[in-house]
Amino acid sequence: MTLERKQAPALKFLSILGKPDADVVKEVAVEDVVWTFPGESIISGEARGIDAILMRAKTIASHKVKVEVIRTIYGFSGVAVLLHNTAQENGKALDEHLAAVFAFRGDKIERLDTHLSDVPMVKAFFG
């Protein structure tokens, strides 16, 4: 898989954080895709399958989180995307740096593991 073929589905997947879309997830991910998120917030834990992925994406989108792609980092068989997420809501602020680490099965995303710079901030913001 070329570098561009790793980056394109990862960036397309991340687009659902602003506009959740089942067709996008189905296009770039396997049916049994897994997305892990650290902490104890309402978006934490392991989301398995397209429906669970969309539920998490809808929660993030409903909080109007701005997702800024900083850069992509390439591994042997996967890709990590460094992000800066920000939001303001009800007197609470989110200002988080994170790595979205993607693993692939063939040319589709099999797993996304999110790594956060400030896990307690996410709980304070999302609850």
Side-chain angles (χ1 to χ4, degrees):
M1 194 174 201
T2 66
L3 297 179
E4 294 78 22
R5 289 188 66 198
K6 289 179 184 178
Q7 181 182 24
L11 294 178
K12 192 161 196 172
F13 182 96
L14 292 170
S15 74
I16 70 166
L17 300 178
K19 185 179 177 192
D21 185 333
D23 290 334
V24 169
V25 178
K26 290 175 185 175
E27 179 184 336
V28 299
V30 297
E31 265 188 53
D32 58 340
V33 61
V34 175
W35 178 8
T36 66
F37 205 97
E40 299 175 3
S41 73
I42 61 171
I43 61 171
S44 296
E46 189 174 87
R48 286 190 169 272
I50 293 168
D51 290 340
I53 299 293
L54 285 173
M55 284 179 45
R56 180 174 288 161
K58 287 177 182 177
T59 300
I60 292 169
S62 73
H63 286 78
K64 298 177 179 57
V65 175
K66 178 185 174 211
V67 178
E68 176 189 4
V69 174
I70 303 298
R71 77 184 51 204
T72 304
I73 300 172
Y74 302 95
F76 179 74
S77 61
V79 64
V81 181
L82 302 179
L83 304 170
H84 181 214
N85 293 355
T86 56
Q88 298 276 332
E89 183 179 69
N90 300 326
K92 297 183 277 184
L94 179 71
D95 188 354
E96 183 80 73
H97 290 86
L98 56 113
V101 182
F102 293 87
F104 294 84
R105 183 186 311 155
D107 61 351
K108 290 197 168 194
I109 297 164
E110 175 177 49
R111 183 177 186 92
L112 164 56
D113 292 300
T114 303
H115 300 262
L116 302 175
S117 63
D118 190 340
V119 175
M121 180 190 299
V122 171
K123 174 141 175 72
F125 184 76
F126 285 100

